Every structure is written in structure tokens, then in C-alpha cells.
Amino acid sequence: MAQRKEVSIRSIAQECGVSTATVSRVLNNAPKVSEDTRRKVLDILQKYHYPLPHPASGAQDRTCAPKIGILMTSSASDYYISIQQYAAEYFMQQDIRVVIANTQGNSDYLPASVETLYESGVLGMILISCDYLSIREIFHPNIPCVWVDCNDPPEQTPALYRVQSDHYVSGQLAAQELFRRGSRRPILLTGAQITHRSEDRIKGFQNAWSKNNILFSDEQIICLPHIKHPFIESRDMVQYLIAKSLSFDSIFAINDSRALGAVVGVQNSGLRIPDDIRIIGFDGISVTCNSILNITSIQQNTKLLAKHACSILEKLLKNEPVHEKNRIIPPHLLTGQTT
């Protein structure tokens, strides 16, 4: 007999000769499956003692200690790690076990990670910086999920329960701080893959300059490939731009790691911070904002993000109404030495 940990929805689908979506429909007791196919899938599930998480199945013993799953796709971000830690602490303080999974930044591992959490018997999940649309067919509707910084935009996923920072206001705050400090020729450092959250930050940044009658064009947005570490890419790019005599007096970096790279790039080029170039980052919870040189940053309230996500999940588990499915958490300016 195969061990449970060796069995997944994918392997079940292969043995049955059906798609993973069909197996998921059977697990969800969905009607759009023929009785022959349903029986074939259920026979294989029974063969491997695969846990059936929906209450109608009666296969999963829920009398044991309750468990909550937390899934994260970014392994190197202090911002997301902080949210994960606060969420885990929230449930552990209530004697609820927490199962944590991390795809280490590889989205290809996301379906298997979701399946692993289901197999562990979690009652619900919090997903941090994860997709939904690309893998929606594997989610069990009776196992509630809450997304923090979902990778899919809200207008495409209106049914999801989600929590995120106000990224548009974050961009505005960055521009307002730089303008107040005397900057008039800003540039923005971001990755090549611009998410809907990054787009909101950029729009907020652009619009704040427009309100001050300063043009911020697309040419002032520097997209970096994310081939090397963000710190190294940003350092090298800033040094290159200065060597090419590009005229700019300030930098908004899309995260604190890129902001720190920009700081080193400016210093290596013989310029002074903030006298010659002002720099502001985004996150506000990393070591870059709590070191000898404190970087000005737009700080995200990771504790509140986690608290709201956990509170929504609790309500869903208790079948209580959630009146606000999309919660937006305000950021604030964390002033440092770089502006």
C-alpha cells in the first residue's frame, strides 16, 4: 500500500486516467462528474486511504486538534515572513496547530503545496502572495481560504476573501515625502514582472507628482530583470545611471532590498545621501530600516494584515458572516536618514 505522503491529487488523476480537475470535483462532491468516473476515482481514493476533506465524505477525523494551514510563495521577503509569523502566533495562542508550507519562490510548487496542506487535514488556510486563478480547480469550497496580497487582481477574483495593504496610497506617500524634501526629478526602481500591487504603487506615485505639476513619465520607471539579487541589481543599475549622467535627484525603490542597493550604488558613485540623491523604500520592517543607516520607507502594518486575515478565517470556520471580503490596510511613512 502506498504511503499517504506519496499520494497526491495529481498521482490519483494519473492512475484514474482523468484530469486533476476531475479528481478535485469528486473530492468536492461536484455534480458535473459521471457516476462511472466518480466511482472509479472514489475506488482509487479508498485504495490509498486518501483523506476526503469535505464533511459529506465522513472520511476525515475532525475530533483531533484543529489545524490551520499557512502557505507562502516568497521565501526571502522580510515583509511576507513577518505576516506568516504573526498569523501563526495568532492561532497558536488559541491552541490551534499551524502547518506552514513555502514554495521557496517557485510558483510551480504551488499546486503540490496546496495538496499537501489538504492531506495534513487543515480546516482552513491563509495564503500569502499566492495565485488563485491558475490553480482554482484544486481548491475545496468547504475548506475556507483567505488571501493576503493575492497575486490575482481583485476585479478578477471578486469571490475571494482577501487582505492587502493600500498600495496606491503607498506610492502617493513616497512621492509626497520626496517632493516635501525638495526632489523634482525622481526615478522608480522595480522588477521586470510588475504585479497589480506594483502597478497600484506606480500609479499612486505618478499621480502624486502630477498633482504637483511635475511630469513623471514611463522613461523614469527602471525595470530590473530579477536575475540577480534585488540588492545587487539595484546597486549596479544606480551606478550605471549615474555614470551615464542621467539626471535624477531621488529614487523610489519598490522594496527595501532594492532601496538598500540604491543607497550603496549612490555612495559608490561618490554622491551623498540625502544631499545629492534622496531614497525611499517600501516595506519598512526589514533590517534596512533598523540598521546604522535607517532607510526611509513606506511601512506596511504586517501585524494588522495578519490579524485581519486570521479574523476572517475564524468567522468562515464558524459560519459567521463576513461583511467585508476585501480589506485594505493603510500604510504609513517611516522616516529615516535617506530623505
Side-chain angles (χ1 to χ4, degrees):
M1 181 182 297
Q3 296 297 316
R4 177 178 295 179
K5 66 179 181 180
E6 298 173 350
V7 181
S8 67
I9 290 178
R10 187 175 292 105
S11 64
I12 294 290
Q14 289 174 348
E15 183 161 347
C16 294
V18 299
S19 67
T20 55
T22 298
V23 176
S24 181
R25 291 189 186 102
V26 173
L27 287 167
N28 296 330
N29 203 26
K32 294 183 179 180
V33 181
S34 71
E35 284 306 312
D36 288 344
T37 300
R38 188 184 304 277
R39 175 47 51 196
K40 182 195 299 183
V41 173
L42 288 173
D43 286 345
I44 299 298
L45 290 170
Q46 186 176 11
K47 171 184 173 182
Y48 291 109
H49 298 274
Y50 190 93
L52 303 179
H54 51 85
S57 71
Q60 183 170 339
D61 181 8
R62 294 183 178 272
T63 61
C64 60
K67 288 183 282 189
I68 294 297
I70 300 177
L71 175 56
M72 184 171 71
T73 62
S74 178
S75 62
S77 169
D78 289 345
Y79 168 63
Y80 289 125
I81 290 172
S82 177
I83 295 172
Q84 174 194 284
Q85 290 173 338
Y86 280 126
E89 181 181 3
Y90 183 97
F91 287 112
M92 288 190 292
Q93 287 178 345
Q94 302 178 53
D95 292 326
I96 296 175
R97 296 178 183 177
V98 177
V99 183
I100 295 175
N102 194 322
T103 70
Q104 303 299 320
N106 191 328
S107 59
D108 292 339
Y109 300 152
L110 190 55
S113 297
V114 172
E115 291 171 8
T116 298
L117 289 176
Y118 281 145
E119 291 167 10
S120 71
V122 297
L123 300 177
M125 288 193 291
I126 290 177
L127 300 103
I128 304 171
S129 185
C130 294
D131 297 359
Y132 169 71
L133 292 176
S134 64
I135 57 171
R136 56 186 165 186
E137 291 183 333
I138 72 172
F139 286 102
H140 301 308
N142 57 309
I143 304 293
C145 295
V146 180
W147 272 259
V148 180
D149 276 356
C150 179
N151 289 336
D152 302 305
E155 59 270 18
Q156 295 180 17
T157 54
L160 294 190
Y161 295 92
R162 55 196 301 153
V163 181
Q164 68 178 43
S165 292
D166 194 324
H167 294 276
Y168 182 86
V169 168
S170 295
Q172 285 190 317
L173 290 176
Q176 290 166 1
E177 167 68 1
L178 293 174
F179 181 83
R180 186 175 70 86
R181 297 289 184 173
S183 297
R184 298 296 182 268
R185 301 185 308 279
I187 62 172
L188 186 148
L189 296 181
T190 186
Q193 294 183 338
I194 298 179
T195 66
H196 69 92
R197 299 185 296 274
S198 299
E199 286 180 351
D200 284 347
R201 280 175 242 165
I202 293 170
K203 288 177 183 177
F205 193 71
Q206 286 178 316
N207 290 345
W209 288 108
S210 297
K211 290 179 181 178
N212 289 299
N213 298 316
I214 295 175
L215 175 66
F216 182 83
S217 66
D218 290 343
E219 287 72 24
Q220 291 165 270
I221 302 174
I222 312 300
C223 296
L224 303 173
H226 209 335
I227 297 173
K228 300 178 182 178
H229 191 278
F231 167 86
I232 297 173
E233 283 189 342
S234 299
R235 179 199 65 192
D236 294 348
M237 178 55 72
V238 167
Q239 291 176 189
Y240 173 77
L241 295 175
I242 293 173
K244 292 285 288 183
S245 299
L246 180 70
S247 179
F248 64 96
D249 60 11
S250 54
I251 300 170
F252 176 35
I254 216 69
N255 59 49
D256 286 342
S257 183
R258 291 200 182 280
L260 182 59
V263 167
V264 176
V266 170
Q267 293 174 333
N268 288 349
S269 300
L271 299 179
R272 298 168 299 168
I273 299 172
D275 298 334
D276 299 317
I277 295 179
R278 298 172 183 86
I279 298 174
I280 188 166
F282 175 91
D283 281 349
I285 51 89
S286 66
V287 68
T288 59
C289 297
N290 300 280
S291 57
I292 296 176
L293 176 63
N294 296 322
I295 293 177
T296 298
S297 185
I298 306 302
Q299 188 170 44
Q300 311 307 300
N301 193 333
T302 55
K303 186 173 185 177
L304 194 58
L305 285 163
K307 181 179 179 180
H308 275 284
C310 294
S311 174
I312 292 174
L313 187 56
E314 276 188 317
K315 288 180 180 295
L316 295 174
L317 290 169
K318 296 175 182 178
N319 292 317
E320 296 177 357
V322 178
H323 301 294
E324 190 178 2
K325 298 182 76 170
N326 188 14
R327 297 191 184 178
I328 306 297
I329 308 302
H332 71 273
L333 177 69
L334 182 65
T335 305
Q337 299 168 267
T338 57
T339 56

